[in-house]
Amino acid sequence: MQESWKYVSRQHQPDDTVVQIASVFIGSGEPVIIAGPCAVESEEQIVETALAVKEAGAHLLRGGAFKPRTSPYDFQGLGAKGLELLARAKEATGLGIVTEVLDPADVPLVAEYADMLQIGSRNMYNYPLLRAVGQQEKPVLLKRGMSATLYEFLMSAEYILAEGNPNVVLCERGIRGFSDFTRNTLDLSIVPAVKQYSHLPIVVDPSHGTGRPEYIEPMSLAALAAGADGIMVEVHPRPHRALSDADQALTLTQFQEMMKKIHSFLEWRRSYGHSYLEHP
Ligand code: PEP
Ligand code: MN
């Protein structure tokens, strides 16, 4: 399978890619924490969340303005208004913004506000959209399709790199399985596999990966132990009132508590040394 990859393969580029998003580097060895609500709902909600996650140690703010919802009758996001609210949260905190783009026609607008464009799981196979984000300069967070193989995942990244944008970060967000206790099955084994075959950084999203707030902390720590370059987690000031993914959001306090554990884990790892994370 390696023969069909070109730009994404480790053979093409032996050194790890480091992607700069605003003033943050993903893939540099220090894990990056991306946190925020599933969807931007109001100025109060996004600014309150941004201030709290920044205080707890997050490096980037996430929040969807354009939401890919299973039901056409569910909240679809605030659209352009949501992007403006993200800009206010950025002004208030200095945090760089990660937000999803659904439509190739919206890429220029979203790229005006976003520091990193998210391609959601449902769009990992949307080749015109991959091409469109490949033709602009903002970094891209490419989420794994919910039934995508490693080959397909890296081939989707290849579309973006082949168009001339080298700044791609992959994101494992769980795959469809038969599990009846989680929303998806978080496939952490793809982290070392990506490191083996590609130079691109990979972060893990334990929120969509488990769908259960109580599993997010253990799976975040496990992701970092497996060598992930960061985690992306959904946080909401009032999860029970969230307009999307209410069941999986951490409260601000739960996020703070998790960040304390992450900080002690990273401190221990620094004292231990990074050698056990050498690529397979
Ligand atoms: C999200 O990040 O809110 C999202 C829609 O994720 P996914 O594309 O992984 O389902
Ligand atoms: Mn979500």
Side-chain angles (χ1 to χ4, degrees):
M1 70 185 167
Q2 282 139 287
E3 294 74 57
S4 8
W5 296 321
K6 190 176 166 193
Y7 296 110
V8 299
S9 79
R10 232 192 231 285
Q11 277 154 342
H12 176 76
Q13 181 188 312
D15 294 337
D16 289 341
T17 285
V18 178
V19 176
Q20 180 169 7
I21 303 109
S23 56
V24 170
F25 295 88
I26 300 188
S28 69
E30 272 308 301
V32 165
I33 312 297
I34 309 168
C38 180
V40 180
E41 298 169 1
S42 67
E43 178 166 358
E44 188 205 9
Q45 174 245 17
I46 193 67
V47 173
E48 182 182 355
T49 310
L51 289 166
V53 299
K54 171 155 188 185
E55 172 75 20
H59 305 97
L60 294 167
L61 178 68
R62 64 148 287 149
F66 295 93
K67 293 301 303 173
R69 302 306 302 280
T70 301
S71 165
Y73 309 117
D74 284 342
F75 177 60
Q76 305 285 309
L78 297 177
K81 170 85 184 145
L83 296 174
E84 281 167 28
L85 299 183
L86 284 166
R88 303 227 183 114
K90 183 178 177 175
E91 246 170 58
T93 58
L95 290 174
I97 302 296
V98 182
T99 195
E100 181 162 355
V101 60
L102 294 180
D103 185 331
D106 290 333
V107 168
L109 174 70
V110 179
E112 242 178 75
Y113 291 87
D115 295 289
M116 180 175 228
L117 298 171
Q118 177 175 320
I119 300 294
S121 194
R122 291 157 189 78
N123 274 321
M124 192 209 82
Y125 298 106
N126 184 337
Y127 303 117
L129 182 62
L130 299 176
R131 284 210 163 97
V133 297
Q135 286 160 8
Q136 56 82 58
E137 289 183 347
K138 289 281 168 76
V140 177
L141 183 71
L142 176 64
K143 298 189 87 172
R144 182 181 182 185
M146 54 192 83
S147 64
T149 61
L150 172 68
Y151 175 77
E152 291 165 340
F153 193 17
L154 288 176
M155 270 307 192
S156 287
E158 186 77 24
Y159 266 88
I160 304 172
L161 271 69
E163 291 296 327
N165 186 348
N167 295 311
V168 173
V169 175
L170 304 167
C171 179
E172 160 61 28
R173 49 78 72 203
I175 50 177
R176 278 271 166 90
F178 51 81
S179 165
D180 58 358
F181 65 99
T182 53
R183 179 178 177 183
N184 289 295
T185 294
L186 190 63
D187 182 15
L188 289 183
S189 55
I190 203 163
V191 173
V194 161
K195 300 269 168 212
Q196 180 173 10
Y197 293 109
S198 178
H199 51 84
L200 293 176
I202 178 163
V203 301
V204 169
D205 169 356
S207 299
H208 295 86
T210 67
R212 300 276 296 267
E214 64 271 38
Y215 301 154
I216 290 174
E217 179 184 294
M219 296 319 284
S220 296
L221 292 165
L224 297 175
D229 297 292
I231 61 162
M232 178 157 88
V233 59
E234 287 187 345
V235 182
H236 195 289
R238 289 160 289 279
H240 57 288
R241 300 223 317 247
L243 297 180
S244 65
D245 284 349
D247 296 342
Q248 68 193 32
L250 293 183
T251 63
L252 303 182
T253 314
Q254 285 171 330
F255 179 69
Q256 277 167 5
E257 291 305 310
M258 177 172 87
M259 286 301 288
K260 285 186 200 154
K261 301 246 177 80
I262 287 180
H263 285 138
S264 6
F265 170 73
L266 292 177
E267 210 172 294
W268 167 80
R269 190 168 84 177
R270 275 190 289 272
S271 69
Y272 182 94
H274 284 242
S275 52
Y276 79 106
L277 286 176
E278 290 293 308
H279 306 134

